[in-house]
């Protein structure tokens, strides 16, 4: 009896050859090109990268990490979170607390306590500031606090099978409630003003071009690292289970997968990524206050992902750069129109570009390609295709033997 | 020793072998006996039944969808279930698979596993596979990925992150692809398949799960005659190794898979109205009244 041989697709690599090339180019640009252009090229030169641009790009890279985090939970798992600003701000506040302690006695009141506490006439640090003078503890808290909040909230939300728009609304309410809490002076987070006037990190002054560049490089490396992590997650069977949950949750359950731990895992990973982004953001912009938890800030993150293209990983990063680039230009050129532009963009993308910019580019490339194939004599492509199947078959047979 | 005696002996041996075969595969070769150890997760069919439903009732807003239902299935049996619309066929499957909790009654898988204590994914892992009325596959994933997800394996988070297809699983996948006639569509998106192909893919996903009991809700709806015939052939080949419960409206298909001796259960108003061979139930007055006639 001769069975027809079946060619199974090979396991997809983490990145294609071109993907790795692009990845290392980006790594080189962040770690070598940008520092060289900023620190060594003289200021008058057209190739000089200004300090303003370094901070702006560093900030946008933090946003890109958030967009990537949103893509994992929304693009791949189908859960739209409108509360990721909370996790971003929590990471930022953890870093902010450490930076406040680093000011030492150089504040306006020359006290060991941060200025706002002196102003409130507090005599000692509240309990939740206990670990804030340790950098190592801060690094742990940056991921642990957003992770823990996400875990507790996610566990109850997913266990109750809260889905779709209800989940989105609850995340909005969560971040809004947190914002109100952080606004209050007695919670010990600096109230309305948050934390600012940072002086040092690890004992080194913050306001130097070298430190600015170091933070920029660190952010770039974090972004690229998270991209690889996200890519690994969605490339594994884990990622396909997430997509299965997104497309047919019931079917996934009847296949024997319990959606709860899957949703919870990706939700917590996503929140931790946002926490790291927030912690990188604060020393670069020099301030953290409760406005980062405003509902608008979280919605904007979803817009970046939608504009770039959901479930593509690269799309949300592109989206974060496009939207924030447009924002920094437009808020200078025509500040009163920015919000209209943002709203309009969201509508246009939702209606006409469901796959975002990356999807659009992909479609244009595809549309341009087929005619080339037709001219190439279809017979040739066909035999080529069957050759590659045979090759795969041979490889499979070889692997089995 | 007379030839009759020898023949009798051979007949008995054969009967014994036939009898022993399913036990060997289903309950570790052990028989019903007070001293046998209960093994967690093992389906105990030593009493000759893989599924028991006893006095099950469920109502939705006062409407009794299932009303005192009693049903049991033997290991390796292919059971056909027919009944008019609203008879409770799909609700019955919902109860068995953990989607719906009955108001009262007991549901057992083998003689030791109480299905009412388990949720959907656990029931699936225990070995009950289900095909929905409307074909449900993961549309954004390829045919290959759909089958790979269904493969019987550790389905917790970390194993899924580190999962690699081994060669035995690859062989199995290739086997199922041939069985469901989708070997040429391996890398196609499941959403792009025809309706009949989606039905086949879903059946293929069930096969990958290697369930002990398959629940099939209208498996041939929307299939061409040729596809229907192939499906009947497939189900008959599964019979014996797996237990199957098939809900279907297509009487030609029922005839094809039940044959002259298979048991057909007729449900009406949430309870079993009649049970027997297809000819028997078709001749039953009450069945004619509620279902086939007027």
């Amino acid at each position: 009896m001769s069975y027809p041989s079946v060619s199974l697709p090979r396991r997809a690599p983490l990145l294609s050859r071109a993907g790795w090339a692009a990845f290392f180019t980006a790594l080189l640009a962040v770690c070598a090109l940008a520092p060289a252009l900023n620190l060594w090229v003289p200021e008058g030169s057209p190739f000089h990268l200004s300090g303003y641009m370094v901070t702006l790009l560093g900030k946008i890279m933090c946003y890109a990490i958030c967009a990537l985090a949103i893509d994992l939970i929304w693009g791949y798992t189908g859960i739209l979170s409108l509360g990721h600003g909370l996790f971003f701000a929590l990471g930022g506040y953890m870093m902010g607390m450490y930076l406040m302690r680093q000011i030492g006695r150089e504040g306006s009141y020359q006290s060991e306590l941060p200025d706002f506490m002196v102003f409130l006439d507090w005599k000692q640090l509240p309990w939740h500031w206990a670990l804030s003078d340790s950098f190592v503890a801060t690094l742990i808290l940056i991921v642990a606090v957003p992770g823990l909040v996400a875990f507790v909230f996610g566990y109850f939300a997913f266990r109750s099978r809260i889905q779709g728009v209800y989940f989105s609304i609850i995340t909005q309410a969560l971040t809004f409630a947190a914002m109100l809490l952080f606004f209050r002076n007695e919670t010990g987070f600096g109230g309305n003003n948050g934390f600012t006037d940072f002086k040092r990190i690890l004992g080194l002054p913050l306001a130097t071009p070298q430190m600015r560049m170091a933070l920029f490089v660190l952010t770039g490396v974090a972004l690229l690292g998270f991209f690889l992590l996200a890519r690994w997650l969605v490339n594994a069977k884990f990622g396909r289970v997430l997509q299965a949950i997104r497309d047919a949750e019931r079917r996934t359950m009847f296949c024997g997968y319990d959606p709860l731990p899957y949703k919870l895992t990706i939700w917590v990973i996503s929140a931790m990524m946002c926490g790291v982004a927030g912690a990188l953001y604060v020393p670069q912009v020099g301030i953290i206050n409760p406005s980062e938890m405003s509902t608008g800030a979280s919605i904007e993150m979803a817009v970046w992902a939608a504009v770039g293209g959901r479930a593509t990983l690269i799309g949300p990063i592109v989206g974060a750069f496009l939207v924030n680039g447009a924002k920094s230009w437009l808020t200078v050129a025509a500040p009163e129109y920015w919000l209209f532009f943002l709203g309009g963009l969201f509508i246009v993308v939702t209606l006409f570009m469901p796959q975002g910019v990356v999807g659009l580019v992909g479609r244009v490339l595809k549309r341009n390609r087929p005619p080339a194939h037709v001219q190439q004599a279809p017979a040739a492509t066909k035999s080529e295709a069957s050759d590659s199947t045979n090759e795969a078959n041979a490889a499979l047979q070889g692997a089995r033997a | 020793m007379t030839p009759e005696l020898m023949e009798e002996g051979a007949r008995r041996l054969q009967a014994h072998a036939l009898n022993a075969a399913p036990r060997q595969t289903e309950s570790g070769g052990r028989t019903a006996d007070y001293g046998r150890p209960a093994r967690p997760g093992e389906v105990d069919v030593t009493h000759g039944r893989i599924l028991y439903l006893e006095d099950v009732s469920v109502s939705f807003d006062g409407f009794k969808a299932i009303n005192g239902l009693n049903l049991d299935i033997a290991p390796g049996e292919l059971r056909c279930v027919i009944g008019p619309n609203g008879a409770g066929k799909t609700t019955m499957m919902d109860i068995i698979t953990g989607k719906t909790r009955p108001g009262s009654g007991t549901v057992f898988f083998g003689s030791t596993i109480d299905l009412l204590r388990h949720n959907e994914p656990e029931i699936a892992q225990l070995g009950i596979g289900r095909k929905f009325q409307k074909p449900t596959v993961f549309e954004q994933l390829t045919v290959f990925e759909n089958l790979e997800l269904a493969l019987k394996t550790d389905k917790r988070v970390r194993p899924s992150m580190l999962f690699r297809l081994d060669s035995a699983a690859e062989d199995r996948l290739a086997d199922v692809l041939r069985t469901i006639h989708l070997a040429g569509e391996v890398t196609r998106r499941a959403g792009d398949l025809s309706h009949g192909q989606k039905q086949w893919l879903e059946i293929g996903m069930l096969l990958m799960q290697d369930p002990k009991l398959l629940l099939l809700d209208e498996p041939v709806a929307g299939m061409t005659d040729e596809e229907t015939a192939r499906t009947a052939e497939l189900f008959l080949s599964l019979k014996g190794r797996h237990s199957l419960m098939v809900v279907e409206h297509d009487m030609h298909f029922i005839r094809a898979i039940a044959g002259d001796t298979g048991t057909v259960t007729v449900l009406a108003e949430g309870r079993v109205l009649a049970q027997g061979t297809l000819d028997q139930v078709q001749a039953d007055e009450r069945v004619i009244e509620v279902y086939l006639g007027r």
Side-chain angles (χ1 to χ4, degrees), chain A residues 4 6 9 11 161 236-238 240 246-247 250-257 262 396 400, chain B residues 97 99 120-121 124-125 130 132 136 140 148-149 155-156 160-161 163 170-171 178 186 202 209:
Chain A
V6 181
R11 193 182 154 84
R161 297 193 181 173
K237 195 179 87 167
F238 176 74
R240 292 191 287 283
R246 177 192 68 194
D247 294 340
R250 192 121 258 162
R251 175 81 262 174
T252 318
M253 285 199 273
F254 287 129
C255 280
Y257 297 96
Y262 281 88
L396 196 65
R400 292 226 182 105
Chain B
T97 53
K99 190 180 165 196
E120 293 110 312
Q125 281 177 5
R130 176 175 185 185
F132 291 91
T136 357
Q140 298 292 326
E148 185 200 40
L149 276 185
K155 306 224 162 153
R156 286 172 304 173
S160 291
M161 285 182 177
F163 176 82
E170 268 180 359
D171 284 346
R178 276 189 290 263
V186 182
E202 202 179 356
Q209 272 175 270

Short mmCIF file of all heavy atoms in Angstrom, two decimals, chain A residues 4 6 9 11 161 236-238 240 246-247 250-257 262 396 400, chain B residues 97 99 120-121 124-125 130 132 136 140 148-149 155-156 160-161 163 170-171 178 186 202 209:
data_model
loop_
_atom_site.label_atom_id
_atom_site.label_comp_id
_atom_site.label_asym_id
_atom_site.label_seq_id
_atom_site.Cartn_x
_atom_site.Cartn_y
_atom_site.Cartn_z
N PRO A 4 0.14 8.47 -0.08
CA PRO A 4 0.68 9.72 -0.62
C PRO A 4 1.48 10.40 0.49
O PRO A 4 1.05 10.45 1.63
CB PRO A 4 -0.57 10.53 -0.98
CG PRO A 4 -1.67 9.94 -0.17
CD PRO A 4 -1.31 8.51 0.08
N VAL A 6 2.97 13.25 2.76
CA VAL A 6 2.45 14.55 3.19
C VAL A 6 3.62 15.41 3.61
O VAL A 6 4.46 14.98 4.38
CB VAL A 6 1.50 14.37 4.40
CG1 VAL A 6 0.95 15.71 4.83
CG2 VAL A 6 0.40 13.40 4.06
N PRO A 9 4.84 21.56 7.13
CA PRO A 9 5.69 22.76 7.13
C PRO A 9 6.75 22.67 8.22
O PRO A 9 6.53 22.04 9.25
CB PRO A 9 4.69 23.89 7.41
CG PRO A 9 3.54 23.24 8.06
CD PRO A 9 3.48 21.84 7.56
N ARG A 11 9.18 24.10 11.17
CA ARG A 11 9.02 25.03 12.28
C ARG A 11 9.61 26.39 11.88
O ARG A 11 10.74 26.47 11.39
CB ARG A 11 9.81 24.45 13.45
CG ARG A 11 9.55 25.07 14.75
CD ARG A 11 10.47 24.38 15.74
NE ARG A 11 10.76 25.26 16.85
CZ ARG A 11 9.94 25.38 17.90
NH1 ARG A 11 8.85 24.68 17.97
NH2 ARG A 11 10.25 26.21 18.87
N ARG A 161 -14.85 35.23 33.59
CA ARG A 161 -15.08 35.22 32.14
C ARG A 161 -15.63 36.56 31.65
O ARG A 161 -16.58 36.59 30.86
CB ARG A 161 -16.00 34.06 31.74
CG ARG A 161 -15.37 32.71 32.06
CD ARG A 161 -16.09 31.57 31.41
NE ARG A 161 -15.44 30.30 31.79
CZ ARG A 161 -15.90 29.11 31.50
NH1 ARG A 161 -17.01 28.99 30.81
NH2 ARG A 161 -15.27 28.02 31.88
N ALA A 236 6.07 30.30 19.45
CA ALA A 236 5.89 29.00 20.10
C ALA A 236 4.41 28.60 20.00
O ALA A 236 3.56 29.40 19.62
CB ALA A 236 6.31 29.09 21.56
N LYS A 237 4.14 27.35 20.36
CA LYS A 237 2.74 26.90 20.33
C LYS A 237 1.89 27.76 21.26
O LYS A 237 0.71 27.99 21.00
CB LYS A 237 2.66 25.43 20.75
CG LYS A 237 1.31 24.82 20.38
CD LYS A 237 1.20 23.37 20.77
CE LYS A 237 0.73 23.22 22.17
NZ LYS A 237 0.32 21.84 22.52
N PHE A 238 2.53 28.27 22.33
CA PHE A 238 1.86 29.18 23.25
C PHE A 238 1.15 30.32 22.48
O PHE A 238 -0.02 30.63 22.75
CB PHE A 238 2.91 29.76 24.21
CG PHE A 238 2.39 30.78 25.16
CD1 PHE A 238 1.60 30.41 26.22
CD2 PHE A 238 2.70 32.11 24.99
CE1 PHE A 238 1.12 31.35 27.12
CE2 PHE A 238 2.23 33.06 25.88
CZ PHE A 238 1.44 32.68 26.95
N ARG A 240 0.15 30.37 19.42
CA ARG A 240 -0.98 29.89 18.61
C ARG A 240 -2.18 29.56 19.48
O ARG A 240 -3.32 29.70 19.05
CB ARG A 240 -0.54 28.69 17.77
CG ARG A 240 0.46 29.10 16.70
CD ARG A 240 0.72 28.01 15.69
NE ARG A 240 1.51 26.92 16.21
CZ ARG A 240 2.83 26.96 16.37
NH1 ARG A 240 3.50 28.05 16.06
NH2 ARG A 240 3.49 25.93 16.85
N ARG A 246 -8.37 33.76 21.01
CA ARG A 246 -8.93 34.96 20.40
C ARG A 246 -10.03 34.61 19.40
O ARG A 246 -11.10 35.21 19.39
CB ARG A 246 -7.80 35.74 19.69
CG ARG A 246 -8.24 36.97 18.94
CD ARG A 246 -7.13 37.48 18.04
NE ARG A 246 -6.86 36.55 16.95
CZ ARG A 246 -5.79 36.60 16.17
NH1 ARG A 246 -4.88 37.51 16.38
NH2 ARG A 246 -5.62 35.72 15.20
N ASP A 247 -9.79 33.59 18.57
CA ASP A 247 -10.70 33.29 17.48
C ASP A 247 -11.87 32.39 17.88
O ASP A 247 -12.96 32.52 17.34
CB ASP A 247 -9.94 32.64 16.32
CG ASP A 247 -8.96 33.61 15.68
OD1 ASP A 247 -9.13 34.82 15.88
OD2 ASP A 247 -8.03 33.15 15.02
N ARG A 250 -14.24 28.79 22.95
CA ARG A 250 -14.93 27.56 23.32
C ARG A 250 -14.23 26.34 22.73
O ARG A 250 -14.01 25.34 23.37
CB ARG A 250 -16.37 27.66 22.81
CG ARG A 250 -17.25 26.62 23.36
CD ARG A 250 -18.41 27.24 24.11
NE ARG A 250 -18.19 27.16 25.53
CZ ARG A 250 -18.84 27.90 26.42
NH1 ARG A 250 -19.70 28.80 26.02
NH2 ARG A 250 -18.61 27.76 27.68
N ARG A 251 -13.91 26.47 21.45
CA ARG A 251 -13.22 25.37 20.75
C ARG A 251 -11.89 25.06 21.45
O ARG A 251 -11.51 23.90 21.60
CB ARG A 251 -12.98 25.80 19.30
CG ARG A 251 -12.20 24.85 18.46
CD ARG A 251 -13.02 23.72 17.93
NE ARG A 251 -12.85 22.53 18.73
CZ ARG A 251 -13.54 21.42 18.56
NH1 ARG A 251 -14.46 21.34 17.64
NH2 ARG A 251 -13.34 20.40 19.33
N THR A 252 -11.20 26.13 21.86
CA THR A 252 -9.91 25.94 22.53
C THR A 252 -10.10 25.14 23.82
O THR A 252 -9.31 24.26 24.14
CB THR A 252 -9.29 27.31 22.87
OG1 THR A 252 -9.47 28.18 21.76
CG2 THR A 252 -7.81 27.18 23.17
N MET A 253 -11.18 25.45 24.54
CA MET A 253 -11.45 24.71 25.77
C MET A 253 -11.73 23.24 25.46
O MET A 253 -11.25 22.35 26.15
CB MET A 253 -12.66 25.30 26.49
CG MET A 253 -12.36 26.59 27.20
SD MET A 253 -13.61 26.94 28.42
CE MET A 253 -14.81 27.79 27.47
N PHE A 254 -12.50 22.99 24.41
CA PHE A 254 -12.83 21.60 24.07
C PHE A 254 -11.63 20.87 23.48
O PHE A 254 -11.66 19.65 23.32
CB PHE A 254 -14.03 21.54 23.12
CG PHE A 254 -15.33 21.87 23.82
CD1 PHE A 254 -16.21 22.80 23.31
CD2 PHE A 254 -15.65 21.24 25.01
CE1 PHE A 254 -17.38 23.11 23.97
CE2 PHE A 254 -16.83 21.54 25.67
CZ PHE A 254 -17.70 22.48 25.15
N CYS A 255 -10.57 21.63 23.12
CA CYS A 255 -9.32 20.98 22.74
C CYS A 255 -8.50 20.64 23.97
O CYS A 255 -7.42 20.08 23.86
CB CYS A 255 -8.49 21.89 21.84
SG CYS A 255 -9.01 21.88 20.13
N GLY A 256 -8.97 21.03 25.16
CA GLY A 256 -8.27 20.66 26.39
C GLY A 256 -7.43 21.78 26.98
O GLY A 256 -6.69 21.53 27.93
N TYR A 257 -7.50 22.99 26.41
CA TYR A 257 -6.73 24.09 26.97
C TYR A 257 -7.62 24.90 27.92
O TYR A 257 -8.73 25.25 27.55
CB TYR A 257 -6.22 25.02 25.87
CG TYR A 257 -5.26 24.36 24.92
CD1 TYR A 257 -5.71 23.83 23.72
CD2 TYR A 257 -3.91 24.27 25.23
CE1 TYR A 257 -4.84 23.23 22.84
CE2 TYR A 257 -3.03 23.66 24.35
CZ TYR A 257 -3.50 23.14 23.17
OH TYR A 257 -2.63 22.53 22.30
N TYR A 262 -3.52 30.84 30.41
CA TYR A 262 -2.93 31.44 29.21
C TYR A 262 -3.15 32.95 29.19
O TYR A 262 -2.24 33.73 28.97
CB TYR A 262 -3.53 30.81 27.94
CG TYR A 262 -2.92 29.48 27.63
CD1 TYR A 262 -3.44 28.31 28.17
CD2 TYR A 262 -1.79 29.38 26.82
CE1 TYR A 262 -2.86 27.08 27.91
CE2 TYR A 262 -1.21 28.16 26.55
CZ TYR A 262 -1.75 27.01 27.10
OH TYR A 262 -1.16 25.81 26.83
N LEU A 396 12.08 15.65 5.44
CA LEU A 396 11.27 15.01 6.48
C LEU A 396 11.64 13.53 6.58
O LEU A 396 11.83 12.98 7.66
CB LEU A 396 9.79 15.15 6.12
CG LEU A 396 8.80 14.89 7.23
CD1 LEU A 396 8.96 15.95 8.32
CD2 LEU A 396 7.38 14.93 6.70
N ARG A 400 13.40 11.47 9.65
CA ARG A 400 12.80 10.29 10.29
C ARG A 400 13.77 9.13 10.29
O ARG A 400 13.76 8.32 11.21
CB ARG A 400 11.56 9.87 9.49
CG ARG A 400 10.47 10.88 9.62
CD ARG A 400 9.15 10.25 9.88
NE ARG A 400 8.17 11.31 9.95
CZ ARG A 400 7.31 11.53 8.98
NH1 ARG A 400 7.25 10.77 7.93
NH2 ARG A 400 6.45 12.51 9.10
N THR B 97 -20.20 17.71 28.01
CA THR B 97 -18.89 18.36 27.86
C THR B 97 -18.66 19.48 28.87
O THR B 97 -17.65 20.16 28.81
CB THR B 97 -18.74 18.94 26.44
OG1 THR B 97 -19.86 19.77 26.17
CG2 THR B 97 -18.63 17.86 25.42
N LYS B 99 -20.37 22.28 29.40
CA LYS B 99 -20.75 23.65 29.06
C LYS B 99 -21.98 24.08 29.86
O LYS B 99 -22.09 25.21 30.29
CB LYS B 99 -21.03 23.73 27.56
CG LYS B 99 -21.21 25.13 27.04
CD LYS B 99 -21.49 25.12 25.54
CE LYS B 99 -22.01 26.48 25.11
NZ LYS B 99 -22.64 26.41 23.78
N GLU B 120 -14.83 22.32 31.25
CA GLU B 120 -14.68 21.92 29.85
C GLU B 120 -13.29 21.40 29.50
O GLU B 120 -13.18 20.31 28.92
CB GLU B 120 -15.05 23.08 28.91
CG GLU B 120 -16.51 23.46 28.94
CD GLU B 120 -16.72 24.80 29.59
OE1 GLU B 120 -16.16 25.01 30.70
OE2 GLU B 120 -17.43 25.64 29.03
N PRO B 121 -12.22 22.16 29.80
CA PRO B 121 -10.90 21.65 29.40
C PRO B 121 -10.54 20.33 30.09
O PRO B 121 -9.91 19.46 29.45
CB PRO B 121 -9.93 22.74 29.84
CG PRO B 121 -10.70 23.88 30.31
CD PRO B 121 -12.13 23.52 30.38
N ALA B 124 -12.29 17.57 28.30
CA ALA B 124 -11.62 17.29 27.02
C ALA B 124 -10.38 16.45 27.26
O ALA B 124 -10.09 15.52 26.51
CB ALA B 124 -11.25 18.61 26.33
N GLN B 125 -9.64 16.76 28.33
CA GLN B 125 -8.41 16.00 28.60
C GLN B 125 -8.70 14.60 29.11
O GLN B 125 -7.89 13.69 28.93
CB GLN B 125 -7.55 16.76 29.61
CG GLN B 125 -6.79 17.89 28.94
CD GLN B 125 -5.97 18.72 29.90
OE1 GLN B 125 -5.89 18.40 31.08
NE2 GLN B 125 -5.38 19.77 29.39
N ARG B 130 -15.47 16.79 21.10
CA ARG B 130 -16.77 17.25 20.64
C ARG B 130 -16.64 18.03 19.35
O ARG B 130 -15.77 18.86 19.20
CB ARG B 130 -17.39 18.16 21.69
CG ARG B 130 -18.70 18.73 21.21
CD ARG B 130 -19.37 19.53 22.26
NE ARG B 130 -20.67 19.94 21.77
CZ ARG B 130 -21.48 20.74 22.41
NH1 ARG B 130 -21.15 21.21 23.57
NH2 ARG B 130 -22.64 21.08 21.88
N PHE B 132 -18.79 20.63 16.99
CA PHE B 132 -19.97 21.51 17.10
C PHE B 132 -20.86 21.38 15.88
O PHE B 132 -20.45 20.91 14.84
CB PHE B 132 -19.52 22.96 17.23
CG PHE B 132 -18.84 23.28 18.52
CD1 PHE B 132 -17.48 23.17 18.66
CD2 PHE B 132 -19.58 23.72 19.61
CE1 PHE B 132 -16.85 23.48 19.84
CE2 PHE B 132 -18.97 24.03 20.80
CZ PHE B 132 -17.60 23.90 20.92
N THR B 136 -16.43 24.76 13.82
CA THR B 136 -15.61 25.76 14.49
C THR B 136 -14.17 25.32 14.43
O THR B 136 -13.78 24.36 15.10
CB THR B 136 -15.99 25.91 15.97
OG1 THR B 136 -17.09 25.06 16.23
CG2 THR B 136 -16.34 27.31 16.32
N GLN B 140 -7.88 31.79 11.64
CA GLN B 140 -6.67 32.55 11.29
C GLN B 140 -5.44 31.64 11.22
O GLN B 140 -4.39 32.07 10.77
CB GLN B 140 -6.41 33.66 12.31
CG GLN B 140 -7.49 34.71 12.40
CD GLN B 140 -7.58 35.56 11.15
OE1 GLN B 140 -6.58 35.83 10.52
NE2 GLN B 140 -8.78 35.96 10.79
N GLU B 148 -2.18 20.67 14.98
CA GLU B 148 -1.10 20.65 15.97
C GLU B 148 -1.63 21.07 17.34
O GLU B 148 -1.27 20.51 18.37
CB GLU B 148 0.02 21.59 15.52
CG GLU B 148 1.25 21.56 16.39
CD GLU B 148 2.11 22.79 16.22
OE1 GLU B 148 1.56 23.90 16.10
OE2 GLU B 148 3.32 22.66 16.20
N LEU B 149 -2.52 22.07 17.35
CA LEU B 149 -3.09 22.53 18.62
C LEU B 149 -3.92 21.44 19.28
O LEU B 149 -3.96 21.32 20.49
CB LEU B 149 -3.98 23.76 18.39
CG LEU B 149 -3.29 25.10 18.32
CD1 LEU B 149 -4.32 26.20 18.21
CD2 LEU B 149 -2.41 25.34 19.52
N LYS B 155 -1.18 20.21 28.04
CA LYS B 155 -1.76 21.46 27.52
C LYS B 155 -1.63 22.62 28.49
O LYS B 155 -2.36 23.61 28.40
CB LYS B 155 -3.23 21.23 27.14
CG LYS B 155 -3.37 20.06 26.18
CD LYS B 155 -4.28 20.31 25.05
CE LYS B 155 -4.03 19.33 23.94
NZ LYS B 155 -5.17 19.06 23.11
N ARG B 156 -0.69 22.52 29.44
CA ARG B 156 -0.48 23.65 30.34
C ARG B 156 0.43 24.68 29.67
O ARG B 156 0.98 24.43 28.60
CB ARG B 156 0.12 23.15 31.65
CG ARG B 156 -0.91 22.42 32.50
CD ARG B 156 -0.28 21.78 33.69
NE ARG B 156 0.79 20.87 33.27
CZ ARG B 156 1.61 20.27 34.09
NH1 ARG B 156 1.53 20.49 35.37
NH2 ARG B 156 2.53 19.45 33.64
N SER B 160 3.49 24.35 26.60
CA SER B 160 3.12 24.94 25.30
C SER B 160 4.20 25.88 24.80
O SER B 160 4.41 26.02 23.60
CB SER B 160 1.82 25.72 25.42
OG SER B 160 0.75 24.86 25.63
N MET B 161 4.88 26.56 25.74
CA MET B 161 5.94 27.48 25.31
C MET B 161 7.12 26.70 24.75
O MET B 161 7.79 27.17 23.84
CB MET B 161 6.41 28.31 26.51
CG MET B 161 5.44 29.40 26.91
SD MET B 161 6.14 30.35 28.27
CE MET B 161 4.89 31.60 28.50
N PHE B 163 7.00 23.59 23.49
CA PHE B 163 6.54 22.46 22.69
C PHE B 163 7.31 22.32 21.38
O PHE B 163 7.58 23.29 20.69
CB PHE B 163 5.05 22.63 22.38
CG PHE B 163 4.49 21.58 21.49
CD1 PHE B 163 4.12 20.35 22.01
CD2 PHE B 163 4.35 21.81 20.14
CE1 PHE B 163 3.61 19.38 21.18
CE2 PHE B 163 3.83 20.83 19.30
CZ PHE B 163 3.47 19.62 19.83
N GLU B 170 4.49 13.84 14.32
CA GLU B 170 4.46 14.24 12.91
C GLU B 170 3.81 13.15 12.07
O GLU B 170 3.00 13.44 11.18
CB GLU B 170 5.89 14.48 12.41
CG GLU B 170 6.32 15.92 12.56
CD GLU B 170 7.74 16.14 12.07
OE1 GLU B 170 8.39 15.17 11.62
OE2 GLU B 170 8.20 17.28 12.15
N ASP B 171 4.15 11.90 12.35
CA ASP B 171 3.55 10.78 11.62
C ASP B 171 2.05 10.77 11.82
O ASP B 171 1.27 10.56 10.90
CB ASP B 171 4.14 9.45 12.11
CG ASP B 171 5.54 9.23 11.56
OD1 ASP B 171 5.89 9.96 10.62
OD2 ASP B 171 6.23 8.35 12.08
N ARG B 178 -4.13 12.70 5.91
CA ARG B 178 -4.56 11.82 4.82
C ARG B 178 -5.99 11.35 5.06
O ARG B 178 -6.81 11.34 4.14
CB ARG B 178 -3.62 10.62 4.71
CG ARG B 178 -2.38 10.92 3.90
CD ARG B 178 -1.60 9.64 3.64
NE ARG B 178 -0.99 9.14 4.85
CZ ARG B 178 0.27 9.37 5.20
NH1 ARG B 178 1.04 10.09 4.42
NH2 ARG B 178 0.76 8.89 6.31
N VAL B 186 -2.20 21.70 3.58
CA VAL B 186 -1.53 21.80 4.88
C VAL B 186 -1.30 23.24 5.33
O VAL B 186 -1.55 23.59 6.49
CB VAL B 186 -0.17 21.06 4.84
CG1 VAL B 186 0.50 21.13 6.19
CG2 VAL B 186 -0.39 19.63 4.43
N GLU B 202 -12.41 19.81 11.45
CA GLU B 202 -12.82 19.70 12.86
C GLU B 202 -12.81 18.24 13.31
O GLU B 202 -12.40 17.92 14.42
CB GLU B 202 -14.21 20.33 13.04
CG GLU B 202 -14.44 20.72 14.49
CD GLU B 202 -15.79 21.37 14.73
OE1 GLU B 202 -16.53 21.60 13.75
OE2 GLU B 202 -16.10 21.63 15.90
N GLN B 209 -6.92 14.58 19.04
CA GLN B 209 -7.09 14.53 20.49
C GLN B 209 -7.12 13.10 21.00
O GLN B 209 -6.97 12.87 22.19
CB GLN B 209 -8.40 15.19 20.89
CG GLN B 209 -8.32 16.67 21.14
CD GLN B 209 -9.70 17.25 21.40
OE1 GLN B 209 -10.39 17.67 20.48
NE2 GLN B 209 -10.11 17.25 22.65
#
